[in-house]
Amino acid sequence: MYQFSVSEGAAVGTPVGRVIATDADMGENTDMSYLIKDEEGGELFKVTTDGDTQEAIITIKKSLDFESKRTHNVVVEAVNKHVDPRFLELGSFRDQTIVRVSVTDADEPPIFLPAEGAIMEVQEDARLGALVGTATAKDPDKENAPVRFSIDRSTDQEQIFHIDPVSGAITLGKILDRETAGWHNITVTAVEADNVSQISHSSVSIRILDVNDNPPELARPYEASICEDAKPGQVRANSKVMHYYHVTNVLQHAYYSLMQGFPNMVLE
Ligand SMILES: [Ca+2]
Ligand SMILES: [Ca+2]
Ligand SMILES: [Ca+2]
Ligand SMILES: [Ca+2]
């Protein structure tokens, strides 16, 4: 059995360790290909063969998480690439080993929920201080360090929104007007209170809901144009109809030009 250790912070593609299958033969008769036999191991890890040494290189295929699983037992199988059919009765020319991968803890920054960013809604006539919504983020580590929130001021220079650093509650700092801006997109920052290097950002999109706060106004009537030769009371032809005739003329013209260029061509 092999034992390796890797940090949960290691990136996808990071090598975890190498495994070698011994083989008494030489040359291409020792050529190996490796595969991961168990389903969970196959999801998290990938195995490739080092062409020079015939070792298996195990790399990370999917991010590991110390908080959800600390040890993975991965079943790796080695198979001879070139098997002489005469010796098949000696065995399968394959062997399995278990590779135990221990995942070590890393201090991770807060995680926002939902991960893809929150969408909130507020009425455009909401009063100053009204609650718009609450940003949620927590430290994924077992210490569960307290998180402090703030708004990235470059995304809200007018200070339309405030956020409570402890609760994440977002409130109104300015009166809204949907007719001026129907959406506000701000960036909320979450930082661990005892370690400011553990920091995350998330977008919050705030949709302003309409309130009937504008009296109606009659739009200016459109001016109907009259052709010079129109009879009294007759309005110029509808522009869609005019457009249709124009397109038809262009197509007909193109068709005849084409036929002149290719007299033997048959159009179907
Ligand atoms: Ca983790
Ligand atoms: Ca961790
Ligand atoms: Ca942390
Ligand atoms: Ca309105």
Side-chain angles (χ1 to χ4, degrees):
M1 183 157 80
Y2 287 81
Q3 265 198 309
F4 301 118
S5 173
V6 64
S7 165
E8 65 171 330
V12 168
T14 303
V16 172
R18 287 167 170 254
V19 169
I20 181 84
T22 51
D23 190 318
D25 295 311
M26 59 185 292
E28 73 165 23
N29 294 332
T30 64
D31 281 2
M32 294 288 172
S33 64
Y34 295 91
L35 56 154
I36 292 175
K37 291 298 278 182
D38 68 295
E39 200 177 316
E40 191 193 297
E43 273 174 28
L44 295 170
F45 303 97
K46 192 174 133 185
V47 65
T48 50
T49 308
D50 181 327
D52 295 331
T53 63
Q54 297 303 319
E55 287 171 307
I57 309 166
I58 295 162
T59 52
I60 299 174
K61 187 170 160 188
K62 194 177 154 194
S63 297
L64 302 169
D65 182 26
F66 170 84
E67 283 74 25
S68 54
K69 196 163 182 189
R70 298 180 184 195
T71 308
H72 299 277
N73 292 315
V74 185
V75 182
V76 176
E77 188 173 83
V79 190
N80 261 157
K81 269 189 187 164
H82 312 283
V83 178
D84 187 329
R86 287 176 298 164
F87 301 110
L88 273 177
E89 65 199 36
L90 290 179
S92 60
F93 286 83
R94 53 183 68 215
D95 194 22
Q96 288 188 349
T97 187
I98 292 185
V99 175
R100 173 165 291 176
V101 181
S102 307
V103 181
T104 58
D105 192 20
D107 193 357
E108 298 159 278
I111 290 176
F112 276 93
L113 281 172
E116 68 276 12
I119 297 177
M120 299 174 182
E121 291 183 336
V122 62
Q123 298 269 358
E124 67 172 316
D125 65 347
R127 286 169 301 150
L128 284 183
L131 180 68
V132 176
T134 302
T136 308
K138 74 184 283 281
D139 174 21
D141 294 306
K142 71 172 189 300
E143 297 79 22
N144 193 12
V147 170
R148 297 288 176 264
F149 296 93
S150 59
I151 291 172
D152 179 342
R153 279 298 157 208
S154 69
T155 63
D156 179 27
Q157 287 172 342
E158 295 165 64
Q159 309 216 352
I160 301 170
F161 303 98
H162 287 162
I163 193 164
D164 185 287
V166 176
S167 71
I170 297 173
T171 51
L172 271 190
K174 290 262 163 69
I175 293 298
L176 300 166
D177 180 29
R178 191 204 64 86
E179 286 69 39
T180 308
W183 284 87
H184 292 279
N185 298 305
I186 61 174
T187 300
V188 171
T189 299
V191 60
E192 286 177 22
D194 51 2
N195 183 356
V196 291
S197 70
Q198 296 294 306
I199 185 166
S200 299
H201 308 276
S202 181
S203 70
V204 176
S205 303
I206 299 155
R207 182 183 182 187
I208 313 306
L209 301 175
D210 191 29
V211 165
N212 189 359
D213 56 356
N214 286 291
E217 263 176 48
L218 279 176
R220 269 184 57 206
Y222 294 107
E223 281 176 32
S225 54
I226 312 250
C227 293
E228 282 171 45
D229 57 350
K231 297 188 184 79
Q234 183 188 354
V235 203
R236 189 172 157 172
N238 170 320
S239 72
K240 266 190 191 159
V241 174
M242 296 292 284
H243 182 69
Y244 171 75
Y245 281 119
H246 179 69
V247 169
T248 312
N249 276 336
V250 168
L251 284 177
Q252 266 177 3
H253 185 74
Y255 176 76
Y256 285 120
S257 311
L258 191 68
M259 292 315 286
Q260 276 162 8
F262 302 94
N264 298 326
M265 197 169 117
V266 178
L267 285 185
E268 289 184 308

